[in-house]
Amino acid sequence: MDLALDGKGFLYEQIARALKVAILEGRLTAGSRLPSTRLLSRTLQVSRKSVLEAYDLLCAEQLAVALVGSGTRVADFNSRLISPTRAARVKPPSKFVTRMRNLPPIALAGYVRPEAQFKYDLVYGEPIIRPALLNSWRRKMSAASLRAGPFYPTAGGYLPLRRAISDHLARRHVVICDPANVLIVGGTQQALSLVARVLLDEGDIAVVEDPCYQMAMQCLSSHGAQLVRVSTDAQGLEVRKLPSRATKLVHVTPSHQFPGGSVMSLARKMELLHWARKTGAWIFEDNYDAEFHSGGRPDPALCTLDLAEQTIYAGSFSKTLFPSLRLGYIVCPVGLRNDLFKAKLLDDLGSPTIEQAALATFIHSRQYERHLRKSIDELTRRRRALHVSFKQLLGSEVDIGPCRRGMHAIVWLKNLSYEQLDLLVKQAASAGLGIYPVHPYFEARPSRPGLLIGYAGISAGQIGTAAEILARCIKKVRK
Ligand SMILES: Cc1ncc(COP(=O)(O)O)c(C=O)c1O
């Protein structure tokens, strides 16, 4: 008998698995005798104990029966009902799956990240990690686990957290909202997914910015939206280019266009709201890194200017704390509040309470604000290091896009072709530097290549070294 072990887990599990496949595929038929444990252990060159344990496991799963004096036999359990062929990839069982399978590879930051770890990685999407934060978080979690209890969560979210978020938004963002309208979700991704489920029918038009956060685009496409990309300029979304056809939803990043870096001007915000009012479209305001504004008050959020309540404001703790937390929130417009709450309930019965309770204390005790201030200072240092070192070492080779807030910037490569860009990425990788092209975020390739530089996961000193390596690699590529 041909038994191939798959090398996963304990030996006895591998043997039992291989025999199970032979039984389910019909190679071992009902009533047939399994090889003696001595023979099988010799054939597979494993201990007899492993084979004995494997047979015990098969008997426990009722696939075999051990009979005193006549060894172990395959049980009679209608195995003929199971097709002997291995599962092939099934045809799309639904329209949702068809749409999902047609999406380009799903990658958080626009590219599929290589397995290799780079010594200097300019990847976007890393949080800014401070060890003190993680220690404090551990303590908050253990206290929260006692407080939160083992029960099902409240689907809309843990009330003290919704209150803490509402206070925080009023204090820092002048967003005034009733905690009853704050819905806790599993990050912006779930926020958008719930909004799409609530608002979109197949074929509805949804607008995304160009360039755009790919996870948003893919989420909306998977829900059947017909996507229209609208370009952005130094003032944000070019509202005059919005479609004249009925549009259901517009996804925007007004506080810091992703990844272009512009901040939507007040005039544009008013124009967008006016357009939404006229057309009845909903606006998804993705405030993914609005916390990282330095000094004074932030620019007014769209939702604070929207008297018609057509704006769905979404915030996330992925950038300010860490993305593994998977917590964010929606400030629901009154007209959609109950629908969004119900969609969340049906989706997962609510986000984990212990994490929510820990976060509530973190915000309530103002530790969150202190952490934000420290993160903002650190990001400001890194941004300065980026400007100084890139200008000094790469001067005429690069143009740095808007870079006054957040944790990323676009660096345009003025003198390289796209072919040279591919070479540059490889050269940099072999020198231990991770760099990532920005053109996948655009509908059409920009006329010159560029890089999306994330600087949250790399220190100010390392940014200088990264610039040195990049300068060396550019020189090599241009030879
Ligand atoms: C534009 C944009 N929105 C939202 C997010 C955060 O998503 P989530 O809260 O699901 O982690 C990111 C993260 O990279 C982002 O770039």
Side-chain angles (χ1 to χ4, degrees):
M1 188 181 30
D2 186 18
L3 276 189
L5 304 190
D6 58 18
K8 291 177 192 152
F10 292 111
L11 257 181
Y12 78 94
E13 290 172 342
Q14 296 180 39
I15 301 165
R17 211 158 32 238
L19 286 165
K20 185 173 180 175
V21 170
I23 294 169
L24 294 175
E25 286 183 343
R27 285 184 282 131
L28 287 171
T29 49
S32 63
R33 210 172 141 171
L34 295 180
S36 75
T37 51
R38 209 178 300 276
L39 175 64
L40 192 56
S41 70
R42 252 203 325 270
T43 317
L44 295 176
Q45 297 192 327
V46 299
S47 71
R48 219 175 131 215
K49 183 167 170 278
S50 297
V51 179
L52 277 167
E53 283 174 350
Y55 283 14
D56 279 350
L57 188 56
L58 287 174
C59 291
E61 290 185 337
Q62 300 176 35
L63 294 170
V65 273
L67 300 168
V68 184
S70 68
T72 306
R73 289 178 185 275
V74 176
D76 188 3
F77 64 97
N78 261 346
S79 63
R80 289 178 309 282
L81 294 181
I82 299 168
S83 154
T85 49
R86 295 274 183 130
R89 198 169 183 237
V90 290
K91 277 198 290 184
S94 63
K95 285 185 182 171
F96 182 75
V97 169
T98 307
R99 292 191 295 259
M100 260 199 324
R101 286 192 189 171
N102 285 335
L103 293 175
I106 296 185
L108 178 66
Y111 42 79
V112 179
R113 199 176 175 191
E115 298 249 311
Q117 293 270 316
F118 297 112
K119 186 156 184 208
Y120 306 98
D121 201 351
L122 296 173
V123 67
Y124 167 74
E126 302 282 286
I128 179 159
I129 300 277
R130 292 188 308 109
L133 168 73
L134 295 180
N135 285 335
S136 158
W137 184 254
R138 208 173 36 238
R139 287 193 296 274
K140 296 262 177 314
M141 282 289 281
S142 102
S145 65
L146 295 175
R147 233 182 13 261
F151 315 105
Y152 273 107
T154 312
Y158 186 64
L159 192 55
L161 176 61
R162 289 157 66 193
R163 283 201 197 108
I165 289 173
S166 162
D167 287 350
H168 175 82
L169 286 177
R171 219 171 29 245
R172 253 184 89 80
H173 298 273
V174 208
V175 171
I176 307 299
C177 60
D178 185 336
N181 293 337
V182 175
L183 172 63
I184 304 297
V185 290
T188 313
Q189 201 60 28
Q190 191 185 38
L192 190 59
S193 184
L194 296 179
V195 165
R197 213 171 296 166
V198 163
L199 290 182
L200 296 178
D201 285 323
E202 192 169 355
D204 279 349
I205 294 180
V207 167
V208 293
E209 297 167 315
D210 187 27
C212 174
Y213 178 50
Q214 296 194 340
M215 294 299 290
M217 236 167 67
Q218 297 191 332
C219 170
L220 294 172
S221 291
S222 74
H223 280 95
Q226 196 187 322
L227 286 190
V228 174
R229 299 186 66 152
V230 172
S231 53
T232 53
D233 63 14
Q235 290 194 63
L237 187 78
E238 294 192 81
V239 175
R240 68 192 162 81
K241 294 189 180 167
L242 281 165
S244 46
R245 289 169 293 163
T247 300
K248 205 44 131 4
L249 179 66
V250 184
H251 173 272
V252 276
T253 47
S255 63
H256 192 207
Q257 205 282 323
F258 184 81
S262 60
V263 176
M264 196 184 272
S265 66
L266 182 60
R268 258 323 144 71
K269 283 178 185 163
M270 297 313 296
E271 231 184 295
L272 177 59
L273 290 173
H274 179 69
W275 173 87
R277 186 78 178 263
K278 223 172 56 195
T279 60
W282 293 93
I283 299 170
F284 186 94
E285 180 171 18
D286 179 348
N287 247 345
Y288 68 109
D289 76 356
E291 297 288 7
F292 294 130
H293 65 84
S294 32
R297 288 283 190 192
D299 316 294
L302 266 174
C303 71
T304 62
L305 303 166
D306 179 12
L307 300 181
E309 292 221 29
Q310 285 171 259
T311 305
I312 303 152
Y313 178 96
S316 169
F317 295 96
S318 290
K319 298 279 171 274
T320 52
L321 292 175
F322 29 86
S324 60
L325 187 57
R326 303 314 303 139
L327 282 180
Y329 54 89
I330 304 177
V331 178
C332 303
V334 174
L336 290 182
R337 187 222 177 254
N338 291 349
D339 304 311
L340 288 167
F341 271 63
K342 219 178 260 179
K344 168 70 179 171
L345 174 70
L346 290 174
D347 201 45
D348 62 5
L349 294 180
S351 296
T353 315
I354 297 175
E355 278 80 353
Q356 291 190 64
L359 183 54
T361 323
F362 200 65
I363 300 175
H364 189 69
S365 65
R366 301 283 175 101
Q367 214 173 326
Y368 182 57
E369 253 173 72
R370 286 196 293 278
H371 164 72
L372 283 179
R373 270 200 297 277
K374 285 184 187 147
S375 300
I376 289 169
D377 289 348
E378 185 52 38
L379 286 170
T380 307
R381 264 193 293 282
R382 294 181 192 187
R383 207 172 296 128
R384 215 172 285 138
L386 180 86
H387 273 292
V388 171
S389 58
F390 274 56
K391 284 229 169 85
Q392 228 168 43
L393 297 160
L394 291 149
S396 60
E397 295 287 347
V398 296
D399 257 347
I400 304 177
C403 178
R404 288 190 309 278
R405 55 176 67 180
M407 36 177 61
H408 75 270
I410 297 183
V411 169
W412 298 105
L413 301 163
K414 293 201 290 193
N415 306 317
L416 292 192
S417 66
Y418 274 97
E419 290 72 38
Q420 287 172 317
L421 173 70
D422 291 341
L423 276 179
L424 181 68
V425 172
K426 287 190 191 124
Q427 279 281 350
S430 59
L433 173 67
I435 50 171
Y436 304 88
V438 76
H439 62 265
Y441 297 87
F442 287 81
E443 185 169 29
R445 267 184 177 193
S447 56
R448 53 190 179 168
L451 300 173
L452 175 61
I453 304 280
Y455 49 85
I458 181 163
S459 70
Q462 288 175 321
I463 289 173
T465 316
E468 275 170 36
I469 301 175
L470 187 60
R472 271 203 308 275
C473 293
I474 290 181
K475 244 187 217 151
K476 272 193 199 154
V477 165
R478 293 191 59 209
K479 257 188 199 159

